């Protein structure tokens, strides 16, 4: 059924037709017609952020925690450029977003008009696709097509740049019967022959390991369930990237923990020494691989990824499978059951014995204190005291982010939201706003550092305005902690501008916004203070004063391999005692 309406009204109708419930935005001259159309309806709820970057991060948190696309509305010029950091973040971490930006009227484009910028040009390399709409006749198609592109294949952000005169023009709105892009048809089913070859390789493995990533989470809960089933059937160990945490339960004995720069000793050494690596939905980024010429030197590699450009981009693989994780895992499980292969139980037991030896090193052990709160202890207590609740965790970027990944155990997908590929300080608070809107009855915690939190701290105002009881749990060590750690370990202890001077009183700051502030300085007081935070039904900033010089270990220094990890000083350096010797053919020697 067709209707005549303005371009601005088409935007709102398309959002309604797509089932959009929340849109994150900030008004400005070039989008006022759309804001006027928002005023005349009540199906799409607008959430007013305090900065356009915060709008995109909030939409990311909403999307990552709910599986629905996030939607953003910002004005032209600085509104669009302020959104770029969030768009780049969403692009790196494969988060489905539709970002509508205002633009000057079409006859002024290219004239350096007030608040004009080349939004399409600026965002070309940090979006999955973008549009400049110059005709009212194209608008209905573009609006619906954008959601298809954002959600299908490898998810990502899509920008619709909409000139102001198009928003005022009247035209015919018809919801397209098919909103697919005419040339974008991602492959979801994996090649059958390659899947069979992968099953044969897996069945004959002596030292296998599953290496899983955010693609499993993006594929949906069914993919996570299939992964768990397949891993249990094989009896193989499994690791996860930072973005994949929660796709496989952290409490399961087959889970080795996170892999990569701050991954566990056992996880990294399993990757280094394996003979078959089964990559499901991860992209071999540099924080995982370390030194490429020494990465997993003895393994045959299977790579399942919906993005064909990720295959063989960083690491050459033996069996590439382009397809959606859920579809490929479904086929793998079916073939595995049909073939009922007999794995080499003796070799697998030897492999698990080796892994248990690495586990016995207890790489996440740390020296606790009765006087000073250790950051690791703070995360452990936060995890223990939130167990059994529906909890969603966001983070900023830095040491606190890595400690959260190491010590907060995720049992389900979509509960962990962090900036992985782009490493965006300021991500966590607005992402918590988005997650809380998606899950109003859940406990949402932003684990933060005292430096990162100040990047987007103004979004506390958004939380207060919309009665969102998010909790900001700051590990305050008075440093840009990860910068300080690298300066200590890799730059001779020259702490150039990494000390967080002139910090605000976070308790007073919380109260100034109208929220609740809590400060804790002693380990003995920590549990009571955390419980107070949890049970406060208002936004809270928790200032947890932690050890100023604690470093985050294990750590693979930049340019090193998995077997060159650094552990806590009292555990020694892992690279000098990897617990096994392997000959040039990859055979494990006793």
């Amino acid at each position: 059924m067709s209707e005549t309406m303005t371009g601005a009204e088409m935007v709102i109708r398309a959002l309604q037709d797509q089932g959009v419930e929340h849109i994150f935005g900030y008004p400005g001259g070039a989008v006022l017609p759309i804001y006027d159309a928002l005023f005349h309806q009540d199906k799409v709820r607008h959430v007013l952020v305090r900065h356009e970057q915060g709008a995109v991060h909030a939409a990311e948190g909403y999307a990552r925690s709910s599986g629905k696309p996030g939607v953003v509305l910002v004005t032209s010029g600085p509104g669009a450029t302020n959104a770029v950091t969030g768009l780049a973040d969403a692009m790196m971490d494969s988060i489905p977003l539709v970002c509508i930006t205002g633009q000057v009227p079409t006859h002024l484009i290219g004239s350096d008009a007030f608040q004009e910028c080349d939004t399409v040009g600026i965002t070309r390399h940090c979006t999955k696709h973008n549009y400049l709409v110059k005709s009212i006749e194209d608008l209905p198609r573009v609006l619906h097509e954008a959601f298809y592109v954002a959600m299908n294949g490898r998810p990502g952000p899509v920008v619709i740049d909409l000139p102001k005169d198009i928003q005022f023009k009247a035209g015919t709105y018809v919801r397209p019967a098919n909103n697919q892009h005419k040339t974008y048809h991602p492959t979801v089913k994996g090649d059958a022959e390659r899947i069979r070859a992968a099953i044969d390789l897996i069945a004959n493995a002596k030292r296998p390991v599953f290496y899983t990533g955010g693609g499993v989470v993006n594929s949906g809960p069914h993919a996570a369930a299939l992964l768990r089933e397949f891993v249990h059937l094989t009896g193989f160990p499994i690791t996860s990237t930072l973005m994949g945490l929660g796709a496989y339960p952290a409490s399961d004995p087959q889970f080795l923990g996170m892999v990569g720069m701050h991954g566990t000793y056992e996880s990294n050494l399993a990757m280094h020494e394996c003979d078959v690596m089964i990559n499901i939905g991860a992209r071999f980024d540099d924080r995982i691989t370390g030194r490429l010429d020494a990465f997993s030197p003895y393994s045959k590699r299977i790579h399942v990824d919906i993005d064909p450009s990720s295959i063989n981009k960083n690491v050459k693989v033996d069996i590439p499978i382009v397809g959606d994780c859920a579809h490929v895992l479904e086929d793998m499980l079916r073939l595995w059951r049909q073939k009922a292969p007999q794995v080499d139980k003796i070799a697998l037991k030897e492999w698990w014995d080796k892994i248990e030896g690495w586990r016995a090193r207890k790489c996440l052990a740390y020296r606790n204190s009765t006087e000073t709160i250790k950051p690791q202890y703070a995360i452990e207590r936060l995890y223990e005291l939130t167990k059994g609740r529906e909890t969603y965790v966001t983070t900023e970027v830095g040491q606190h982010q890595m400690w959260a990944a190491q010590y907060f155990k995720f049992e389900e997908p979509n509960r962990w939201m962090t900036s992985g590929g782009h490493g965006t300080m300021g991500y966590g608070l607005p992402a918590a706003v988005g997650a809380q809107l998606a899950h109003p009855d859940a406990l949402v915690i932003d684990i933060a550092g005292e430096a990162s939190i100040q990047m987007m701290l103004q979004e506390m105002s958004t939380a207060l305005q919309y009665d969102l009881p998010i909790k900001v749990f700051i590990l305050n060590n008075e440093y840009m902690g990860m910068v300080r750690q690298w300066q200590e370990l890799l730059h001779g202890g020259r702490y150039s501008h990494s000390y967080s001077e002139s910090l605000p009183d976070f308790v007073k700051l919380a109260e100034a916004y109208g929220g609740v502030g809590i400060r804790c300085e002693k380990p003995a007081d920590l549990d009571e203070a955390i419980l107070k935070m949890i049970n406060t039904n208002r936004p809270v900033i928790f200032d947890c004063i932690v050890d100023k010089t604690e470093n985050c270990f294990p750590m693979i220094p930049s340019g090193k391999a998995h077997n060159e990890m650094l552990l806590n000083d009292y555990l020694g350096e892992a690279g000098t005692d990897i617990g096994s010797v392997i000959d040039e053919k990859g055979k494990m020697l006793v």
Side-chain angles (χ1 to χ4, degrees), residues 64 212-229 231-232 238-252 255-259 280 383 391-393 404-406 408-418:
R64 184 75 174 175
T212 58
V216 180
V217 178
N218 288 338
S219 187
H222 185 51
L226 292 168
L227 174 67
R228 296 170 192 217
E229 191 175 350
V231 171
H232 284 154
I238 177 171
T239 71
S240 172
T241 66
L242 180 73
M243 296 302 295
L245 293 174
Y248 193 87
S251 62
D252 191 284
F255 186 63
L256 306 186
M258 184 174 69
V259 69
I280 311 288
Y383 167 68
T391 304
Y392 295 82
V393 173
Q406 291 172 338
F408 204 103
K409 309 301 182 185
F410 296 94
E411 301 295 308
E412 299 176 51
N414 303 106
R415 299 297 183 89
W416 164 250
M417 287 139 282
T418 194

Side-chain angles (χ1 to χ4, degrees), residues 72-305:
V72 177
L73 176 61
V74 298
T75 195
S76 63
T81 57
N82 280 348
V84 166
T85 296
L87 293 170
D89 191 274
M91 184 68 179
M92 290 286 278
D93 287 346
S94 308
I95 309 299
L97 302 180
V98 173
C99 179
I100 300 166
T101 61
Q103 184 54 276
V104 300
T106 51
H107 68 278
L108 289 178
I109 292 176
S111 70
D112 291 334
F114 177 68
Q115 291 194 333
E116 181 195 357
C117 71
D118 179 9
T119 301
V120 167
I122 289 169
T123 63
R124 181 168 286 122
H125 297 291
C126 63
T127 57
K128 188 175 176 184
H129 194 55
N130 58 20
Y131 302 85
L132 172 60
V133 182
K134 294 185 177 180
S135 165
I136 189 68
E137 288 76 24
D138 291 337
L139 185 55
R141 172 187 60 81
V142 167
L143 288 165
H144 289 282
E145 195 175 274
F147 280 88
Y148 171 82
V149 174
M151 290 292 289
N152 285 272
R154 178 180 174 180
V158 176
V159 162
I160 302 172
D161 198 31
L162 189 54
K164 193 170 183 179
D165 58 321
I166 305 298
Q167 297 172 41
F168 278 123
K169 276 187 180 178
T172 301
Y173 175 83
V174 179
R175 181 176 183 178
N178 183 349
N179 65 346
Q180 292 185 10
H181 190 281
K182 61 183 177 182
T183 61
Y184 180 60
H185 304 290
T187 300
V188 294
K189 290 284 289 182
D191 181 84
E193 287 302 315
R194 290 182 178 180
I195 291 173
R196 274 192 281 273
I199 290 298
D200 289 341
L201 184 59
I202 293 168
N204 290 294
K206 309 294 183 185
R207 304 187 307 277
V209 67
F210 281 92
Y211 157 41
T212 58
V216 180
V217 178
N218 288 338
S219 187
H222 185 51
L226 292 168
L227 174 67
R228 296 170 192 217
E229 191 175 350
F230 194 28
V231 171
H232 284 154
L233 273 176
T234 61
F236 295 170
I238 177 171
T239 71
S240 172
T241 66
L242 180 73
M243 296 302 295
L245 293 174
Y248 193 87
S251 62
D252 191 284
Q254 287 174 245
F255 186 63
L256 306 186
M258 184 174 69
V259 69
M261 180 170 279
H262 291 285
T264 64
Y265 183 60
E266 54 269 27
S267 180
N268 282 329
L269 288 186
M271 288 280 279
H272 184 77
E273 296 196 6
C274 69
D275 69 340
V276 173
M277 179 188 298
I278 310 146
N279 178 337
I280 311 288
R283 58 186 178 86
F284 288 112
D285 73 289
D286 61 293
R287 290 297 168 113
I288 298 301
T289 62
R291 185 158 56 93
L292 278 172
D293 63 359
F295 172 67
S296 194
Y298 314 108
S299 66
K300 298 285 187 182
R301 299 156 190 162
I302 300 161
H303 188 187
V304 177
D305 204 299

Side-chain angles (χ1 to χ4, degrees), residues 13 31 44 50 78 117 135 214 220 322 426 447 466 486 555 563 580:
R13 177 62 65 83
V31 284
V44 179
R50 272 45 180 180
C117 71
S135 165
V322 177
I447 297 175
Y466 295 96
W486 280 52
M555 175 185 175
N563 64 329
S580 66

Side-chain angles (χ1 to χ4, degrees), residues 314-543:
N314 298 325
V315 170
K316 183 170 175 54
V317 299
D318 299 279
I319 304 178
I321 302 172
V322 177
D324 177 75
C325 291
H327 285 84
V328 175
L329 283 167
E330 210 164 49
D331 289 342
M332 282 183 160
L333 266 167
R334 178 176 45 79
L335 277 175
W336 187 269
R337 287 199 179 94
Q338 283 177 3
K339 292 194 170 192
Q342 297 297 311
V343 298
D344 188 333
K345 292 182 179 179
I346 294 174
L348 189 59
K349 182 181 182 304
E350 289 179 353
W351 180 227
W352 270 113
D353 287 345
K354 180 61 63 179
I355 289 169
E356 292 304 330
W358 295 328
R359 269 181 170 163
R361 291 290 298 271
K362 299 188 183 302
C363 68
L364 296 181
Y366 59 94
R367 288 193 185 97
N368 211 348
S369 169
T370 57
E371 298 300 320
T372 304
I373 299 174
K374 293 289 185 175
Q376 303 95 322
Y377 179 71
I379 302 297
E380 283 184 328
R381 296 315 303 155
L382 183 65
Y383 167 68
E384 290 296 332
L385 294 169
T386 56
K387 263 186 182 179
R389 297 173 182 264
E390 183 187 359
T391 304
Y392 295 82
V393 173
T394 70
T395 78
E396 309 297 330
V397 169
Q399 284 178 320
H400 62 274
Q401 176 191 30
M402 295 298 105
W403 281 316
Q406 291 172 338
Y407 294 95
F408 204 103
K409 309 301 182 185
F410 296 94
E411 301 295 308
E412 299 176 51
N414 303 106
R415 299 297 183 89
W416 164 250
M417 287 139 282
T418 194
S419 175
H422 207 230
T424 307
M425 293 173 73
Y427 168 91
L429 175 51
V433 166
Q436 190 77 78
L437 277 161
H439 306 278
D441 298 324
L443 175 63
V444 179
I445 304 170
D446 171 29
I447 297 175
E450 84 292 330
S452 277
I453 192 61
Q454 295 186 80
M455 293 280 190
M456 284 277 117
L457 189 52
Q458 71 276 359
E459 299 309 330
M460 275 299 289
S461 185
T462 306
L464 267 297
Q465 179 175 341
Y466 295 96
D467 298 318
L468 304 173
I470 61 171
K471 320 301 180 192
V472 179
F473 190 77
I474 300 173
L475 299 182
N476 186 347
N477 60 11
E478 298 183 8
Y479 277 97
M480 299 173 204
M482 193 62 81
V483 174
R484 184 203 58 75
Q485 177 169 334
W486 280 52
Q487 288 173 335
E488 176 186 326
L489 299 177
L490 306 175
H491 296 277
R494 295 179 292 278
Y495 303 119
S496 180
H497 303 286
S498 56
Y499 182 62
S500 298
E501 296 187 62
S502 301
L503 286 172
D505 183 325
F506 286 109
V507 171
K508 289 181 180 178
L509 194 56
E511 293 168 352
Y513 276 110
V516 175
I518 300 171
R519 179 179 291 111
C520 186
E521 301 184 39
K522 296 295 181 184
D525 301 330
L526 189 57
D527 279 19
E528 183 181 351
I530 290 174
L531 287 171
K532 179 182 177 183
M533 177 188 76
I534 291 169
N535 294 322
T536 299
N537 193 32
R538 291 168 64 196
V540 176
I541 295 180
F542 188 115
D543 191 13

